[in-house]
Amino acid sequence: MTAQSNAEAHAREFHWFKGDPDLSEEEARLHDLIALRNATTELIREQRDLLGYYDSDEELFGHEYTVEEIVDIVDGAGLLTDRDDIRARVLRFIGAETRPSDG
């Protein structure tokens, strides 16, 4: 078993949100994976800083879109047109608090 396949096996076995009555099974799985990604990202940052590697998070992880950039993409694609609804869905998806539009 490779390190990658072993890590994937551990990720598949991780269940924190599964069984939450407020989430569908698919949503719970997504929240589990987001929690793992967030924890892994922080551990990578700590290790990177310890070793003095990389100049920025973007160099290490690639570009991460802001909520407003995602709202612009979805709105621009015409998938949804209510920016507050898009923002609420994105924030719920990433596990952040919902807040009204700034503009």
Side-chain angles (χ1 to χ4, degrees), residues 18-30:
K18 187 176 181 178
D20 184 326
D22 294 331
L23 300 172
S24 71
E25 188 172 327
E26 292 81 12
E27 288 173 318
R29 183 71 189 129
L30 177 62

Side-chain angles (χ1 to χ4, degrees), residues 25-64:
E25 188 172 327
E26 292 81 12
E27 288 173 318
R29 183 71 189 129
L30 177 62
H31 285 285
D32 285 341
L33 293 171
I34 290 169
L36 284 171
R37 185 196 75 164
N38 291 344
T40 303
T41 297
E42 189 55 36
L43 291 170
I44 291 169
R45 282 184 180 129
E46 289 173 11
Q47 192 66 28
R48 171 203 64 195
D49 292 346
L50 179 71
L51 294 170
Y53 289 175
Y54 303 103
D55 293 330
S56 68
D57 281 357
E58 188 167 320
E59 184 179 36
L60 183 61
F61 302 112
H63 177 74
E64 289 193 27

